[in-house]
């Protein structure tokens, strides 16, 4: 038997990840690692996409995790159907995540899914997984997106979407290590005060307020993280932001986050791709004596001898692993949470 289910019907059975948007009968995946998890009974499933268009005809990649096993698929036209077949008859857990970011956040194109097909002797949806106890928010740039993580350093390298993978980057892996619900809000080239080209348009403090890239405003009551991680400043340096100007911008952003999430542990980390603002950030966090839940976690620069450099000077899987390991240690020390050491 076959059961064709629209997302209007699926919605109550879904566990949504990141700021995934349900609109006009479809699920919109805009931010990296946005998507859904469902549970079903049957022997096969198909994920049916209904929209995708990107500049330069670059495909988008999705990660599909079926019963703990991960696969990666390119989406080029937005009409693809991903078959997941020949399963044992029974209960299954299916997760689908957007794998790479929108290249130009100022001209975003979302990826949308309209329908799920389930096959089996008696195909059925099962109740959604329970919400997780731990919640994390990550704010960042290309490092957080996993830009270049799938390629070794190549002279003259230019971006290829197949080389980016948010599921191999420190933020997603940290959330998985703690079995935490997450939001990952990140875009390559973006900064706090200025972006890498010295423009001041769609910066990280701006995208923080968006439900999807350049979308309508987000309702912050929908998700209350216990831990907030900011990895930002690399592109401000590229945009020639003076130390004093960057620290003023960082302080303003910290105060805004604190006003929205008064009880969260807030961690600012920086340094994998250089840290011209190290002394300023150290002094800023040392001055936050009235807020014992704001923390600065400096990172050493990527080490080529340890194969920590991937595409265009960005972290390789080894560099991302080191960042995730240090961050997990810090979060565990602050919260008392346990985590999987095999990150």
């Amino acid at each position: 038997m076959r059961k064709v289910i629209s997302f209007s019907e699926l919605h109550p059975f879904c566990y949504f990840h990141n700021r995934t948007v349900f609109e006009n009968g479809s699920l919109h995946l805009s931010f990296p690692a946005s998507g859904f998890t469902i549970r079903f009974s049957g022997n096969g499933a198909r994920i049916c996409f209904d929209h995708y268009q990107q500049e330069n005809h670059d495909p988008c990649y999705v990660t599909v995790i079926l019963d703990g096993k991960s696969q990666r698929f390119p989406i080029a036209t937005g009409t693809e159907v991903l078959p997941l077949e020949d399963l044992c008859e029974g209960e299954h857990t299916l997760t689908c995540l957007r794998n790479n970011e929108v290249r130009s956040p100022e001209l975003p194109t979302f990826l949308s899914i309209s329908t799920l097909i389930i096959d089996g002797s008696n195909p059925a949806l099962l109740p959604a997984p329970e919400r997780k106890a731990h919640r994390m928010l990550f704010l960042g740039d290309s490092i957080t997106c996993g830009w270049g993580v799938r390629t070794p350093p190549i002279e003259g390298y230019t971006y290829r979407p197949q080389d980016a993978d948010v599921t191999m980057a420190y933020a997603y892996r940290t959330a998985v290590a703690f079995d935490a619900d997450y939001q990952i809000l990140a875009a390559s080239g973006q900064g706090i005060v200025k972006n890498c080209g010295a423009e001041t348009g769609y910066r990280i403090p701006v995208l923080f307020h968006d439900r999807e890239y350049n979308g309508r405003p987000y309702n912050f009551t929908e998700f209350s993280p216990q831990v907030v991680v900011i990895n930002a400043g690399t592109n401000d340096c590229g945009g020639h932001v003076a130390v004093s100007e960057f620290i003023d911008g960082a302080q303003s952003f910290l105060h805004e986050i604190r006003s929205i999430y008064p009880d969260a542990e807030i961690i600012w980390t920086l340094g994998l791709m250089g840290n011209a603002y190290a002394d300023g950030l150290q002094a800023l966090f040392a001055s936050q004596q009235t807020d014992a839940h704001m923390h600065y976690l400096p990172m050493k620069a990527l080490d080529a001898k340890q194969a920590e450099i991937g595409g265009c000077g960005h972290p390789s899987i080894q560099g991302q692993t080191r960042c995730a390991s240090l961050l997990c240690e810090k979060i565990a020390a602050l919260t008392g949470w346990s985590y999987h050491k095999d990150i």
Side-chain angles (χ1 to χ4, degrees):
M1 293 178 62
R2 172 163 291 178
K3 189 177 182 69
V4 180
I5 313 164
S6 71
F7 262 93
S8 297
E9 300 171 86
L10 275 171
H11 193 272
F13 296 89
C14 286
Y15 186 119
F16 295 112
H17 303 283
N18 213 346
R19 294 184 182 178
T20 300
V21 176
F22 177 72
E23 190 171 70
N24 298 326
S26 295
L27 201 64
H28 296 185
L29 282 57
S30 181
F31 286 112
S34 57
F36 69 93
T37 294
I38 62 155
R39 298 171 59 243
F40 70 93
S41 177
N43 60 25
R46 296 171 183 241
I47 304 171
C48 305
F49 293 83
D50 70 354
H51 176 85
Y52 177 68
Q53 182 179 356
Q54 178 61 291
E55 71 275 17
N56 301 323
H57 305 287
D58 283 343
C60 178
Y61 285 78
V62 296
T63 291
V64 174
I65 306 168
L66 180 62
D67 298 332
K69 296 181 179 179
S70 179
Q71 303 176 71
R72 195 169 186 242
F73 299 93
I75 305 297
T77 67
T79 59
E80 285 84 351
V81 176
L82 303 185
L84 307 165
E85 301 173 327
D86 300 322
L87 309 180
C88 294
E89 187 74 40
E91 296 184 5
H92 301 279
T93 300
L94 170 64
T95 297
C96 180
L97 303 173
R98 182 173 182 138
N99 201 244
N100 52 343
E101 61 179 313
V102 173
R103 281 297 318 284
S104 299
E106 68 277 6
L107 295 171
T109 52
F110 58 79
L111 174 69
S112 71
I113 306 171
S114 61
T115 308
L116 183 75
I117 299 172
I118 302 175
D119 295 318
S121 59
N122 187 22
L125 293 171
L126 301 175
E130 294 184 4
R131 302 306 303 183
K132 298 178 185 295
H134 304 326
R135 300 176 302 279
M136 299 178 173
L137 166 64
F138 299 87
L139 295 153
D141 50 33
S142 53
I143 297 172
T144 304
C145 291
W147 203 96
V149 69
R150 282 181 167 267
T151 184
I154 300 171
E155 187 175 352
Y157 175 81
T158 56
Y159 176 82
R160 301 185 307 174
Q162 61 265 38
D163 297 332
D165 191 338
V166 69
T167 68
M168 297 176 73
Y170 77 91
Y172 179 83
R173 293 168 66 194
T174 297
V176 170
F178 282 99
D179 191 28
D181 202 355
Y182 63 82
Q183 288 189 350
I184 299 174
L185 312 178
S188 293
Q190 314 310 102
I192 298 297
V193 178
K194 293 181 181 179
N195 301 325
C196 64
E199 73 276 12
T200 59
Y202 198 64
R203 296 165 294 112
I204 292 169
V206 178
L207 71 85
F208 174 53
H209 286 267
D210 284 354
R211 175 169 290 282
E212 54 189 334
Y213 286 125
N214 270 325
R216 58 184 180 274
Y218 180 68
N219 178 1
F220 288 105
T221 64
E222 294 181 22
F223 184 80
S224 181
Q226 297 133 315
V227 174
V228 176
V229 178
I230 308 159
N231 188 340
T234 302
N235 292 306
D236 293 86
C237 187
H240 307 293
V241 176
V243 173
S244 59
E245 186 180 6
F246 176 78
I247 297 304
D248 286 346
Q251 185 173 36
S252 176
F253 192 34
L254 286 167
H255 287 170
E256 179 182 20
I257 293 171
R258 174 57 76 218
S259 70
I260 296 170
Y261 303 124
D263 300 319
E265 299 287 351
I266 301 175
I267 303 167
W268 196 301
T269 185
L270 189 62
L272 291 179
M273 294 179 65
N275 193 355
Y277 306 120
D279 292 343
L281 284 170
Q282 191 74 55
L284 172 62
F285 280 85
S287 70
Q288 307 292 319
Q289 296 179 0
T290 58
D291 191 336
H293 301 285
M294 283 193 181
H295 318 275
Y296 174 50
L297 178 63
M299 291 279 175
K300 292 182 180 179
L302 296 171
D303 187 346
K305 294 181 180 178
Q306 299 299 320
E308 290 187 343
I309 301 177
C312 200
H314 285 69
S316 64
I317 185 65
Q318 290 89 342
Q320 293 281 5
T321 299
R322 173 164 65 84
C323 183
S325 297
L326 293 172
L327 187 56
C328 283
E329 290 177 9
K330 182 70 171 179
I331 292 171
L334 293 173
T335 62
W337 299 346
S338 60
Y339 66 97
H340 301 291
K341 302 298 193 295
D342 185 18
I343 300 171

